[in-house]
Amino acid sequence: MDKLLIRGGSVLKGEVAMSGAKNAALPILCASLLSADPLELGNVPQLNDISTMLRLLGDMGIGVRHEGDDGLTLDGSGLNNPVASYEMVKTMRASILVLGPLLARCGEARVSLPGGCAIGARPVDQHIKGLQAMGAEVTVEQGYVHARASRLKGARICTDMVTVTGTENLMMAACLADGETIIENAAREPEVVDLANCLVAMGARISGAGTDIIRIQGVEKLHGARHSIMPDRIETGTYLCAAAVTGGDIRLTRTSAAYLDSVVDKLMDAGCEIVVERDAIRLTAPAKLKSVSLRTAPYPAFPTDMQAQFMAMNCVADGVATIRETIFENRFMHVSELMRLGANIQIEGNNAIVRGVDRLEGATVMATDLRASASLIIAGLVASGETLIDRIYHLDRGYERIEQKLAALGASVERVR
Ligand code: EPU
């Protein structure tokens, strides 16, 4: 199994391009289920989660053609098997995103229920409740959600909590429903907006994406379209933290600060200088970072997907920070690993109190999920000596060519067996 060896102490400098957003690409790939015409996509990141989703769609009869490094054409004309097996869903929870579009286009879908995962229980009751409100008959048999509806009907749906993939699933289903669907308490994440933009290009009638009330007028069918995936704001934020912790000076291109306000604010509170350009961001780190407290919450507040990276930064900052996780009940798995590198962190319920220390020292640590692995890299970059990160398959799910990108900025990272 691959591991990542980091020799700490390099100062990150230079320029690197960011990739397309994983969490926008995944639902947008599923949008191909809604039409028999080809969907041409650009800026698709090469990640394990994307390959898994393409395999899943391929099993259902979607034609997949790669065009160059980051282009894809998906052909929905052969869709004939509206099933997502346990084997697929267990490796990637985002597979649940096929449920809404399959049901809307095929009148039926059988999708394995995702189980819990490292960061929490993560139920999908809101996805199911919304589809039922649209007239679907849903049963759970032998671990599979079996949903049927000859044609979904528009409905008013208010989700109990803000759910990103829940909003995306229901928005996709509503595109082909009869009449108007209103999703209240909708997720406002930029990835929801990117999906809505792609659906609109396919002929969907959607308004309000990016606010907490989304209205969808159902249409008879969707057509082919071209869409370029938005830049990955979490990848961008992760590299900014990596540069900040090493006292670096980097410029990230092919990205945008437009969706990163809460993260940029916290980096500035930590003492970083940030210059925002139209399609790039430059960060210059201070000699010593200041601690920054934060609380995760749905967009536009601070993203849970950046919590672990800021935890790592706070480990070596000046002062004491409180980090409160409000989205997932078990997203502090990186804490015990950071402590193996010498961090001083105390957990009290869903708060972590991080006291900055003068130095971290390299050790062997274990990645427990995608963003936890990113936090260990950040810590490893500033730790003295060598840090060996085990189980980096988590990392390959969500960071494209991370060793090459870090090496381009001057880090010493190497994949070892
Ligand atoms: N929830 C329910 N019932 C539901 C749906 C959600 O109780 O039916 C709960 C969840 O258990 C969680 C909260 O609601 O406590 C919010 O979960 P949400 O549904 O928003 O998460 P998600 O859609 O499964 C997406 C991202 C995650 C990201 C979260 C929060 C994708 C593919 N995944 O997950 O990304 O952390 O939103 O922003 O978009 C990652 O990239 O590392 C990652 C985990």
Side-chain angles (χ1 to χ4, degrees):
M1 209 179 289
D2 283 359
K3 301 180 174 65
L4 202 68
L5 179 66
I6 306 179
R7 290 184 190 86
S10 309
V11 174
L12 297 198
K13 279 195 165 43
E15 195 167 293
V16 73
M18 296 291 95
S19 302
K22 166 179 84 80
N23 289 348
L26 289 170
I28 287 172
L29 295 181
C30 296
S32 68
L33 293 165
L34 286 166
S35 169
D37 298 340
L39 178 61
E40 291 175 44
L41 299 175
N43 205 29
V44 181
Q46 289 184 16
L47 299 168
N48 286 354
D49 272 10
I50 299 295
S51 319
T52 306
M53 186 61 91
L54 291 175
R55 241 184 359 261
L56 176 63
L57 294 174
D59 285 352
M60 295 174 180
I62 300 287
V64 178
R65 203 173 64 233
H66 292 268
E67 323 263 353
D69 277 352
D70 64 3
L72 266 185
T73 301
L74 301 171
D75 176 357
S77 60
L79 174 61
N80 58 6
N81 178 32
V83 178
S85 71
Y86 171 72
E87 287 310 314
M88 284 299 195
V89 178
K90 80 168 186 204
T91 58
M92 190 182 61
R93 298 181 44 86
S95 312
I96 193 70
L97 282 164
V98 300
L99 180 63
L102 277 180
L103 179 60
R105 171 121 176 265
C106 305
E108 180 168 19
R110 251 170 70 79
V111 177
S112 172
L113 265 181
C117 72
I119 61 178
R122 301 180 77 183
V124 291
D125 55 305
Q126 301 301 309
H127 303 231
I128 294 175
K129 200 180 92 174
L131 294 174
Q132 283 171 328
M134 295 168 79
E137 196 185 306
V138 183
T139 51
V140 177
E141 295 154 11
Q142 296 165 335
Y144 278 75
V145 181
H146 191 182
R148 273 160 293 200
S150 52
R151 179 150 189 216
L152 291 168
K153 292 185 194 57
R156 191 181 194 110
I157 301 164
C158 182
T159 53
D160 290 355
M161 78 288 293
V162 176
T163 157
V164 177
T165 51
T167 301
E168 293 166 343
N169 230 338
L170 298 174
M171 184 165 73
M172 286 193 276
C175 287
L176 295 181
D178 184 19
E180 186 183 50
T181 299
I182 301 173
I183 307 175
E184 295 180 2
N185 201 23
R188 291 179 283 171
E189 268 65 6
E191 292 76 12
V192 173
V193 179
D194 205 32
L195 170 64
N197 290 341
C198 176
L199 293 168
V200 167
M202 294 170 74
R205 293 176 58 199
I206 301 174
S207 63
T211 75
D212 60 359
I213 301 183
I214 303 180
R215 289 170 193 270
I216 307 113
Q217 293 287 343
V219 296
E220 285 291 326
K221 58 187 216 169
L222 296 185
H223 50 69
R226 260 189 196 179
H227 180 81
S228 180
I229 308 287
M230 65 175 284
D232 196 316
R233 63 191 168 105
I234 305 300
E235 184 195 31
T236 305
T238 302
Y239 280 91
L240 292 176
C241 288
V245 86
T246 64
D249 183 352
I250 63 166
R251 183 165 174 270
L252 303 178
T253 60
R254 296 190 65 184
T255 188
S256 167
Y259 324 108
L260 271 170
D261 283 351
S262 57
V263 170
V264 164
D265 281 356
K266 291 289 173 192
L267 285 166
M268 286 174 21
D269 290 349
C272 299
E273 192 187 312
I274 306 255
V275 178
V276 173
E277 300 168 39
R278 204 170 74 86
D279 295 319
I281 307 179
R282 181 169 171 186
L283 176 143
T284 310
K288 178 85 182 168
L289 289 169
K290 288 187 285 229
S291 287
V292 278
S293 293
L294 57 94
R295 173 181 176 276
T296 66
Y299 190 84
F302 191 90
T304 174
D305 289 344
M306 284 301 302
Q307 178 257 105
Q309 298 88 319
F310 269 73
M311 177 98 73
M313 249 174 49
N314 275 315
C315 287
V316 289
D318 194 15
V320 182
T322 303
I323 295 190
R324 174 180 273 245
E325 172 60 52
T326 77
I327 306 289
F328 292 112
E329 66 273 20
N330 195 24
R331 213 174 195 182
F332 281 152
M333 304 275 282
H334 40 285
V335 167
S336 49
E337 301 303 305
L338 290 169
M339 286 171 69
R340 303 193 67 246
L341 299 173
N344 180 347
I345 308 171
Q346 206 180 327
I347 297 183
E348 288 172 9
N350 63 345
N351 292 312
I353 295 129
V354 189
R355 293 186 170 78
V357 296
D358 285 337
R359 63 190 285 269
L360 298 177
E361 201 177 326
T364 299
V365 287
M366 192 174 74
T368 48
D369 69 74
L370 172 59
R371 309 304 171 188
S373 358
S375 77
L376 297 177
I377 292 187
I378 293 168
L381 286 171
V382 74
S384 63
E386 293 185 345
T387 298
L388 187 64
I389 307 179
D390 198 1
R391 301 204 182 165
I392 54 153
Y393 54 83
H394 290 293
L395 201 62
D396 297 329
R397 297 183 58 174
Y399 289 96
E400 191 179 50
R401 295 184 291 105
I402 189 159
E403 309 101 275
Q404 286 97 316
K405 290 191 186 187
L406 284 171
L409 295 172
S412 167
V413 280
E414 192 186 332
R415 197 171 279 248
V416 294
R417 287 249 157 207

